[in-house]
Amino acid sequence: MIDLLDKIPEDKQKHIAVGVLLGLALGAHFLIAVVVILIAALGKEAYDYIYNMFISDVHDVDLYDSLATIGGGAVGIVLIYVINSVIGVLV
């Protein structure tokens, strides 16, 4: 598992982590979670694009960053639904 993480660039790991956290935090409200995750993923890349245009060309605009955030969000949402299902069965 550690070898797999070494192959994922640190930047993508951060995007995945943010997506998972958003999915976990908002996953109980599916539609809200999806909208917030999409806004976060695409908003960050829009911010990078605007930053590059007007300030300096430091941040890469990368579609894969957005996909990493969205993928992480999907994992977080699924985890919340699994956790809720298990708790529902136990209670």
Side-chain angles (χ1 to χ4, degrees), residues 20-42:
V20 169
L21 290 174
L22 287 172
L24 288 172
L26 302 169
H29 307 285
F30 180 77
L31 187 57
I32 293 171
V34 169
V35 169
V36 169
I37 290 165
L38 287 173
I39 289 171
L42 300 174

Side-chain angles (χ1 to χ4, degrees), residues 11-12 14 28 30 44-45 51 57-58 66-68 71 77-78:
D11 177 50
K12 301 300 180 279
K14 290 177 183 177
F30 180 77
K44 172 62 170 83
E45 296 313 305
Y51 189 90
D57 195 14
V58 196
S66 293
L67 294 176
I77 291 170
V78 168

Side-chain angles (χ1 to χ4, degrees), residues 51-73:
Y51 189 90
N52 288 347
M53 270 187 3
F54 295 109
I55 299 172
S56 75
D57 195 14
V58 196
H59 298 91
D60 290 335
V61 177
D62 187 359
L63 175 64
Y64 293 114
D65 287 348
S66 293
L67 294 176
T69 305
I70 293 166

